[in-house]
Amino acid sequence: MNNRLKVLRAERNWSQADLAQKLEVSRQSVNAIETGKFDPSLPLAFRLAKLFGTTIEAIFLEEGPESG
């Protein structure tokens, strides 16, 4: 799953550690989400959306031909 997490984080000048602290997860988890190695749980996705003041769909982009 592609995502805009790195862009959103950079717009706020937050490090991965800063974001991890705000989400109460490890920096490694933030890195894994940003690089697409890990898909966040639905509760974590909602926390990300709330933190960035946007929707889950604005952060995470579906891959593949069905994504249109």
Side-chain angles (χ1 to χ4, degrees):
M1 180 182 312
N2 291 327
N3 67 73
R4 299 184 53 241
L5 193 56
K6 185 174 182 177
V7 172
L8 292 168
R9 179 175 60 75
E11 287 174 352
R12 288 153 180 83
N13 293 319
W14 293 347
S15 68
Q16 287 184 343
D18 294 335
L19 181 57
Q21 184 176 19
K22 293 175 189 304
L23 294 170
E24 299 180 342
V25 300
S26 69
R27 188 200 56 78
Q28 290 80 6
S29 293
V30 170
N31 182 61
I33 295 169
E34 282 188 2
T35 57
K37 294 178 182 171
F38 173 75
D39 291 333
S41 67
L42 190 54
L44 180 55
F46 274 110
R47 285 174 27 215
L48 282 162
K50 184 175 181 180
L51 182 65
F52 287 113
T54 189
T55 62
I56 292 173
E57 293 86 355
I59 299 173
F60 297 97
L61 312 168
E62 189 176 6
E63 295 177 356
E66 68 278 358
S67 64

